[in-house]
Amino acid sequence: MGIFENFGLFFTNLFGILTNPVELLLLFGSVFLGIVFGALPGLTATLGVALLTTLTYGMSLSSAMVCLLGIYVGAVYGGSFASIMINIPGTAAAAATALEGYPMAKRGLAGKALGLTTTASAIGTVVGMFFVVIFTPLISRLALEFTSFEFFLLAFFGIMISGSISCPDTVQKGWIAGFLGLFLAMVGRDQLQTYPRFTFGITSLESGIETVPVLIGAFGIPQIIQVLKDKTEVPKSNKLEKVLPSWAKIAKNIKTIVSSSLIGVGIGAVPGIGEDIAAWCSYGAAKKSSKHPEEFGHGSEEGIIASETANNACIGGAMIPLLSMGIPGSPPAAMLLGAFLLHGIAPGPMLEVERPGFTLLVSAILLLASIAMWIVGILMAKQVVKLLKIPPQLLMPVVGVLCIVGSYALGLKAINLYLMVPMGIVTYYLTERGYPVPPLIIGVILGGMADANLRRGLMVSEGSLMPFVTRPVALILVLVILFTFLNNTAVFKRFKAKLFRRGKAA
Amino acid sequence: MKKALSILIISIVFVSALFASGSGEVYPSRDITDICVFGAGGGTDVANRVIAAEMGNILGVNINVNNVTGGAGGSIGLYQAYDQASDGYTIIGVSESCVASAVMGGFDKRMNVFDFFIIGGSPDIISVTPDAPFQTVEELVEYAKANPNAIKAGASTVGSLHHLNLLGFMNGAGIQVNFIPYDGSASAQNAAMTGEVSLVITSVQEQAELIKGGLLRPLAVLIPEAYEFEGQTIPSAFDSYPDMTKYLPLEQCIGFAIKSDVPDDRKAIIIDAFEKAMASDTLKEYGENNYFTLSGAYGDEARAIVDNLESVFSWTLYDLGAAKFSPEDFGIPRV
Amino acid sequence: MIDKNKLRGSDIISGGLFGVLGIYILIESFQMPLSDSYGGVTTHWYVSPALMPIIIGIGMILLAIVIIVNGIRNGGKEQLAAERNEKRGKPFIDDNKIRFYAVMLPLVSIVFINLNTIDFYLNAVMYLLFTTCFFYLEDIVFLKKGITIATVFEIIIAALHFSGVDRKLTQVFFASMDLIGLAAVIVMNVSLIMYAKKAGNEVYMKKAKHIMLVSYIMPLLIVPLFKFALRVPMPHEGGFINLMSMVYYALR
């Protein structure tokens, strides 16, 4: 198919939806629902897509895709609302946003922060969409270079980097929190041999600890305790004029936007790693390359732009392996795979032959969803700022109920709640003592992957550690990890300082 | 005070209303819950959602699929469903993996506390990567006999259907391969794409796209008859290795279950809806698109299938040393 | 977070706790199959399920040692001693502890005590009413009074639930546990209004209204949203949710 034909088909899809009032309504409705889902702590994009899948069964393929992609895009973006307003990431992907957005809101710049995240998310989604159309074959070939060793290293790298980046105190505390998360991920039957580890004979623990209750417990509960117990003031609301970000700001940060989009798409295309890692990696990269790294952690505009652009660009990235190989690139994409199958779409190498134009339909919807998200976001931002007028002593208990219902809704089992509350208390204790939470969460999410892939890799190599240095991608990852580690140790720092002094003297 | 009083009055009113409404109910008059014991988006979940929608139309109520995952062999969902009243308002989305729950230390009862409705399943197939030097299953077996444990075979976790099929194939053909477990069929196939393993056993449904794209070469199916796949005939491994009938076939078996003590008149209504749904075009289309062999078994027929699966899974896991309890503890006979 | 300069003392304790956890992980790990065949896979050291836990255990112990040493070197010991001196002579139960207990009591109750025995709507109302009564009024006298009421009722519910008596009661009448929860709500609400009236404080009356609005209306929105729109069954469906179902099916 020629490029022009593709273009034609793309716009046919676009106008098909735009001229269909029902689908247009569904688009805005599901994007709005997605934003609400993302904004409410405990309700994730995955849960949103999952719950909506059932309801789309009776719809036409195009309407169903509009709904599902709409709620996906909306929910990934919506996470930033809670991050900025109440310092509880609505979704894991918005955790990095909280680091910068909340201090901004504290300074009375909530509207500005929201305006920036809205535009950044919309741009990110659109960039992601371009990659879906153009780079699908290329990215999927790269992703196929990843064997067990690389997956292990990637997971390990994710934990290391988030430990180094998010730590308020010494870096060892970040890493040890990551190790705690890894340990929690070990609970349950292991993925290779189904040997039960650390289950204390409790059957409910055999399938492991679910991420969602841990996430809600770790982010929601300490916040509730702090606000209620310590009378922590939640920032006063901002005036409403500044909700629209000045386009000059966006233009000024164009470099961050481009690199964050690329990171988001790249990480999205790697199977199994989703929006949360994309946001962290992009945030880390932005901090490293920033001219004002000292602003990070105190409300850096670059920081929120980086994290929000990347997590939304990740959606497109996650669609690439999903469409081209039938392998979901992120947890919500895994849910989408189920929805595709429900509608008789079998994603894979033959998709374009069997369903010509399906990829283009998906990209057209992504474009529309990002526009709808931008419109709804700008309108909603005004409403959300109003949320701050609710006294925290009334708002936090309601958040508490939502946390409980949210943790329960995904697994429908009491064990999730029994884990969530102690998890919250432990995290409260740890945050009070300067241990960061994000590495713990990343550890829980990636721990199973790290474990299974390390052992499987060694199984394939029959115990040899050579693949770590002989496989090119693995070698690069090893070097990056070593650098991250050394960069944060005292010995290396002293060595660097010495070098620096010598250079000065000479 | 007024507030408190009004609450009290409301509560008394609704309580008496509830007492009045208890009896003489027509089944089904409210939504039915389908507790699917595996995750959303998986094979069991999707099949259950399809049939739930179809049966819901026939029964005139919604059948809501909820995923209650976790435990050993979906035991958390099994327990939750088993704890519900036997009124026909709870059905359980299950697959063949549930039958091993008891010996794995999950659900503490045999599967015969449930009545099964089997939608079907996709047959297991042996495939190799295109660069592997084998064109037929015979060449593969010859090579494996000469070089034991040289071939790396990927399949999902220990004790899964595909692992048991691999074991059956190894025993039936008298060969040894190096089994590398993955956390699912998708990752096993992905590993074949990256060259980590050269042989995979997954279902036709899971492999279909890769075979069509020429990324995997199918050698044989693990069912007694040859399989027609998109105009090409894939031979049955049973033809060359008749010994295999001792261990196989072990077919995927996705469907739903109800508690056995649901009243017979309600069972009859469910059976009727199930039969109609299985005969519908939606299900047929779903079967074709997903390379499903539709079964439609229920009652004694389904019981026989599940009993066989339960015995094979339980004893194989026990013999492998991966089971927590002996199948004898539950009175599961060795077939 | 505690003031950064005061962290070194607490580092010694938290680092120690991590060290103990690391040692526990190692002890558990060495009891896992390290060689031999398990589940049809021949286990070498590198396939063992213990491999990753051992790495985690060692890593955790090493990092804990670094944190403890860092704490001691930077004056952590002195800080701990100073804190101990400061605490001496002060009453064990202070305002801070009471407030922490007031946060945890409703939270622990809703999850660990009420979850499987009291209707979830009522459970949510109890959580909201208790928490908002404790904190929104910002009155230490009522906080203490409210804590007493909530603690008494939760002890009763816990005693009934964990002794298994609640199942016998629900056999007699399916919503009998809900009545106890309802009683707790009524007692709390009445004493809130009486306290506000007695204080004769306009602000208190207004706040009491807000409290009731949030406590009764929010769950009335959240529960049906999940139960009927998203079709998620609630943890325990007693009298109130059954009533909602009746209304829902009558209207549909």
Side-chain angles (χ1 to χ4, degrees):
Chain A
M1 222 189 302
I3 287 172
F4 288 106
E5 266 177 76
N6 272 337
F7 258 109
L9 203 56
F10 182 78
F11 283 107
T12 318
N13 280 322
L14 211 61
F15 286 116
I17 295 166
L18 278 177
T19 50
N20 183 337
V22 177
E23 290 193 348
L24 211 55
L25 203 69
L26 281 176
L27 176 71
F28 278 93
S30 50
V31 166
F32 179 76
L33 196 66
I35 295 176
V36 173
F37 252 81
L40 294 178
L43 303 180
T44 60
T46 318
L47 182 65
V49 176
L51 291 172
L52 211 59
T53 301
T54 334
L55 303 179
T56 61
Y57 178 72
M59 297 178 185
S60 73
L61 177 65
S62 156
S63 302
M65 289 302 119
V66 165
C67 283
L68 296 173
L69 290 170
I71 199 167
Y72 187 3
V73 171
V76 170
Y77 154 70
S80 65
F81 277 73
S83 294
I84 292 169
M85 292 306 173
I86 46 177
N87 204 15
I88 301 175
T91 60
T97 312
L99 288 186
E100 302 304 331
Y102 186 64
M104 272 183 89
K106 250 185 172 162
R107 292 209 307 263
L109 299 175
K112 199 171 170 191
L114 276 175
L116 279 176
T117 59
T118 309
T119 314
S121 296
I123 294 175
T125 315
V126 174
V127 174
M129 179 223 64
F130 275 114
F131 275 84
V132 173
V133 181
I134 299 163
F135 285 90
T136 303
L138 201 100
I139 301 268
S140 42
R141 225 169 289 152
L142 177 74
L144 278 177
E145 285 298 307
F146 282 70
T147 64
S148 295
F149 279 105
E150 283 85 1
F151 273 118
F152 163 71
L153 289 167
L154 208 60
F156 199 75
F157 170 69
I159 296 162
M160 286 278 293
I161 195 84
S162 94
S164 323
I165 289 170
S166 61
C167 203
D169 198 23
T170 55
V171 72
Q172 289 85 9
K173 287 189 170 177
W175 291 339
I176 210 166
F179 273 104
L180 181 63
L182 276 176
F183 165 66
L184 290 176
M186 294 301 111
V187 175
R189 283 184 183 265
D190 87 279
Q191 286 175 20
L192 300 187
Q193 288 166 284
T194 66
Y195 180 82
R197 294 184 289 198
F198 307 106
T199 55
F200 311 101
I202 301 168
T203 317
S204 306
L205 283 178
E206 296 216 334
S207 54
I209 292 178
E210 276 187 36
T211 322
V212 175
V214 170
L215 186 91
I216 297 172
F219 281 109
I221 304 292
Q223 198 68 22
I224 294 168
I225 299 176
Q226 262 162 23
V227 170
L228 293 180
K229 176 177 159 279
D230 305 335
K231 303 180 188 171
T232 311
E233 287 296 313
V234 167
K236 288 234 160 62
S237 67
N238 182 28
K239 289 220 174 68
L240 294 179
E241 296 102 42
K242 280 189 187 164
V243 173
L244 261 172
S246 58
W247 291 101
K249 275 264 153 52
I250 294 293
K252 208 179 97 190
N253 285 306
I254 193 76
K255 220 183 77 192
T256 315
I257 289 180
V258 170
S259 61
S260 304
S261 305
L262 294 180
I263 292 172
V265 172
I267 287 177
V270 178
I273 320 184
E275 288 78 16
D276 38 356
I277 309 285
W280 276 117
C281 287
S282 158
Y283 178 78
K287 190 179 179 183
K288 281 266 144 66
S289 68
S290 171
K291 280 178 199 141
H292 306 286
E294 74 282 354
E295 280 179 13
F296 279 71
H298 306 287
S300 159
E301 283 168 9
E302 264 176 90
I304 48 172
I305 289 176
S307 118
E308 282 301 306
T309 314
N311 65 24
N312 271 72
C314 187
I315 297 173
M319 298 302 291
I320 294 168
L322 176 63
L323 291 170
S324 60
M325 299 180 287
I327 296 165
S330 70
M335 200 46 239
L336 274 181
L337 175 63
F340 283 178
L341 294 171
L342 198 66
H343 286 276
I345 297 278
M350 300 302 282
L351 182 65
E352 270 311 292
V353 180
E354 286 178 347
R355 292 270 184 167
F358 183 70
T359 310
L360 289 172
L361 174 71
V362 167
S363 359
I365 293 173
L366 274 180
L367 178 64
L368 289 174
S370 62
I371 295 168
M373 184 214 86
W374 192 82
I375 296 170
V376 176
I378 292 292
L379 294 178
M380 269 279 285
K382 295 174 186 172
Q383 309 303 316
V384 170
V385 174
K386 279 185 193 157
L387 265 184
L388 285 185
K389 291 188 180 142
I390 301 171
Q393 294 97 325
L394 287 183
L395 183 64
M396 292 322 282
V398 176
V399 172
V401 172
L402 283 173
C403 285
I404 287 166
V405 181
S407 322
Y408 184 78
L410 199 63
L412 299 179
K413 46 194 170 188
I415 185 88
N416 280 1
L417 295 177
Y418 298 156
L419 284 172
M420 184 195 78
V421 173
M423 195 63 217
I425 299 172
V426 169
T427 343
Y428 175 71
Y429 175 86
L430 290 178
T431 18
E432 284 288 289
R433 278 149 192 82
Y435 293 87
V437 185
L440 193 154
I441 296 302
I442 305 281
V444 174
I445 295 173
L446 297 181
M449 190 170 128
D451 171 52
N453 281 297
L454 172 64
R455 287 158 58 203
R456 190 157 49 223
L458 289 168
M459 220 184 233
V460 173
S461 75
E462 281 159 12
S464 159
L465 293 170
M466 284 311 279
F468 279 121
V469 284
T470 52
R471 297 188 55 87
V473 182
L475 182 62
I476 294 169
L477 284 167
V478 167
L479 292 177
V480 173
I481 290 172
L482 271 180
F483 177 75
T484 320
F485 179 70
L486 288 174
N487 205 11
N488 284 300
T489 47
V491 185
F492 190 71
K493 268 185 193 152
R494 243 175 275 147
F495 177 68
K496 245 190 356 192
K498 225 184 241 171
L499 269 186
F500 188 65
R501 252 199 318 259
R502 238 181 246 165
K504 232 180 186 176
Chain B
M1 261 332 259
K2 256 187 228 162
K3 188 106 193 169
L5 260 177
S6 51
I7 290 172
L8 206 69
I9 291 165
I10 291 171
S11 60
I12 290 167
V13 168
F14 92 76
V15 163
S16 43
L18 273 183
F19 269 118
S21 75
S23 53
E25 185 186 315
V26 189
Y27 177 83
S29 61
R30 51 193 166 95
D31 288 358
I32 295 172
T33 303
D34 181 346
I35 296 180
C36 176
V37 303
F38 296 108
T44 311
D45 176 66
V46 174
N48 264 282
R49 281 173 199 269
V50 172
I51 198 141
E54 205 57 39
M55 283 176 63
N57 285 340
I58 295 163
L59 293 172
V61 294
N62 288 317
I63 300 181
N64 306 321
V65 181
N66 289 311
N67 306 88
V68 183
T69 60
S75 58
I76 292 180
L78 289 175
Y79 271 120
Q80 196 169 102
Y82 188 75
D83 285 343
Q84 304 294 320
S86 306
D87 54 5
Y89 284 108
T90 305
I91 65 177
I92 313 139
V94 290
S95 81
E96 73 289 337
S97 315
C98 298
V99 299
S101 187
V103 291
M104 296 294 276
F107 191 57
D108 61 359
K109 289 173 189 65
R110 275 191 68 180
M111 283 297 118
N112 55 20
V113 298
F114 299 117
D115 275 16
F116 286 84
F117 296 81
I118 300 171
I119 301 169
S122 186
D124 267 37
I125 183 168
I126 307 175
S127 292
V128 292
T129 46
D131 57 353
F134 328 111
Q135 297 300 327
T136 61
V137 69
E138 288 82 10
E139 288 175 33
L140 171 83
V141 169
E142 253 168 57
Y143 179 85
K145 271 189 177 147
N147 310 284
N149 275 329
I151 298 173
K152 288 178 182 121
S156 41
T157 333
V158 170
S160 68
L161 174 76
H162 305 311
H163 176 219
L164 262 49
N165 266 296
L166 175 68
L167 284 176
F169 173 66
M170 280 172 16
N171 290 335
I175 56 167
Q176 275 298 315
V177 298
N178 187 1
F179 166 54
I180 313 271
Y182 287 84
D183 43 332
S185 294
S187 12
Q189 286 166 190
N190 203 15
M193 298 297 100
T194 62
E196 202 166 83
V197 294
S198 50
L199 183 154
V200 280
I201 292 192
T202 56
S203 71
V204 176
Q205 178 196 10
E206 288 156 335
Q207 265 181 43
E209 296 313 315
L210 297 174
I211 297 175
K212 277 192 263 174
L215 297 167
L216 278 179
R217 187 190 306 133
L219 295 187
V221 286
L222 293 173
I223 47 173
E225 299 89 29
Y227 188 81
E228 287 296 324
F229 180 84
E230 306 282 320
Q232 90 187 90
T233 307
I234 303 168
S236 162
F238 289 55
D239 296 345
S240 314
Y241 307 98
D243 272 2
M244 223 164 270
T245 47
K246 274 188 219 158
Y247 312 98
L248 297 175
L250 215 49
E251 280 186 78
Q252 196 181 29
C253 182
I254 288 175
F256 66 87
I258 56 173
K259 279 168 78 176
S260 296
D261 50 356
V262 168
D264 282 339
D265 53 330
R266 293 188 177 185
K267 256 187 210 169
I269 293 170
I270 296 173
I271 288 173
D272 179 58
F274 177 68
E275 278 186 325
K276 281 182 187 154
M278 287 304 292
S280 69
D281 290 340
T282 323
L283 255 288
K284 280 183 185 143
E285 200 183 310
Y286 171 77
E288 269 168 37
N289 288 339
N290 292 286
Y291 307 95
F292 251 50
T293 318
L294 292 180
S295 157
Y298 60 85
D300 293 339
E301 190 189 350
R303 164 85 58 235
I305 296 172
V306 173
D307 278 350
N308 177 48
L309 282 170
E310 184 175 50
S311 165
V312 174
F313 265 80
S314 304
W315 282 103
T316 313
L317 285 170
Y318 182 69
D319 294 343
L320 284 172
K324 209 166 170 180
F325 299 110
S326 163
E328 274 170 2
D329 298 350
F330 299 94
I332 300 170
R334 198 190 272 268
V335 178
Chain C
M1 203 177 88
I2 299 173
D3 186 11
K4 229 178 186 179
N5 299 320
K6 290 186 182 161
L7 269 180
R8 298 291 82 84
S10 74
D11 276 4
I12 299 177
I13 298 172
S14 59
L17 289 176
F18 270 113
V20 171
L21 179 63
I23 291 166
Y24 163 76
I25 294 172
L26 276 190
I27 293 171
E28 275 286 292
S29 308
F30 282 108
Q31 286 163 8
M32 292 175 190
L34 277 161
S35 55
D36 244 359
S37 155
Y38 184 85
V41 183
T42 326
T43 305
H44 303 280
W45 65 268
Y46 52 83
V47 210
S48 164
L51 177 63
M52 198 68 183
I54 288 174
I55 295 175
I56 295 169
I58 292 173
M60 208 178 259
I61 292 171
L62 289 179
L63 286 169
I65 290 172
V66 174
I67 291 173
I68 294 172
V69 169
N70 190 26
I72 293 174
R73 268 197 201 156
N74 293 304
K77 264 187 185 166
E78 293 74 21
Q79 275 178 25
L80 279 184
E83 273 170 36
R84 221 173 293 134
N85 279 334
E86 217 174 283
K87 270 183 195 156
R88 208 168 289 158
K90 281 186 184 169
F92 181 70
I93 295 170
D94 54 5
D95 265 16
N96 207 19
K97 286 211 175 72
I98 291 176
R99 291 183 75 88
F100 183 73
Y101 177 72
V103 181
M104 296 319 295
L105 173 69
L107 187 65
V108 169
S109 304
I110 186 179
V111 168
F112 290 96
I113 301 172
N114 303 353
L115 191 75
N116 289 320
T117 185
I118 286 184
D119 181 89
F120 191 74
Y121 170 77
L122 193 61
N123 199 359
V125 170
M126 284 166 78
Y127 174 77
L128 286 172
L129 186 70
F130 291 177
T131 314
T132 47
C133 275
F134 293 166
F135 294 103
Y136 187 49
L137 219 52
E138 284 170 7
D139 185 315
I140 187 79
V141 180
F142 189 69
L143 173 66
K144 282 179 183 165
K145 197 174 171 188
I147 286 179
T148 319
I149 296 172
T151 310
V152 168
F153 271 102
E154 286 307 334
I155 288 174
I156 295 172
I157 296 171
L160 289 175
H161 180 50
F162 292 115
S163 63
V165 177
D166 63 337
R167 257 155 281 157
K168 279 177 198 142
L169 285 177
T170 44
Q171 270 168 12
V172 179
F173 173 56
F174 82 105
S176 41
M177 286 304 281
D178 294 349
L179 294 179
I180 298 174
L182 200 61
V185 168
I186 292 169
V187 170
M188 183 66 86
N189 204 334
V190 167
S191 52
L192 169 72
I193 295 169
M194 277 172 33
Y195 186 82
K197 274 206 177 130
K198 213 167 136 193
N201 190 330
E202 275 297 305
V203 182
Y204 276 20
M205 282 311 286
K206 214 174 139 192
K207 281 192 172 178
K209 252 180 216 158
H210 288 168
I211 286 176
M212 290 193 293
L213 211 65
V214 167
S215 306
Y216 300 119
I217 303 299
M218 285 315 289
L220 204 56
L221 297 174
I222 295 171
V223 170
L225 174 77
F226 276 86
K227 169 83 181 136
F228 302 113
L230 299 173
R231 295 178 181 160
V232 175
M234 292 290 112
H236 184 87
E237 305 191 344
F240 285 92
I241 293 179
N242 274 325
L243 177 68
M244 288 177 193
S245 299
M246 272 170 54
V247 174
Y248 175 74
Y249 286 111
L251 293 177
R252 206 169 60 147

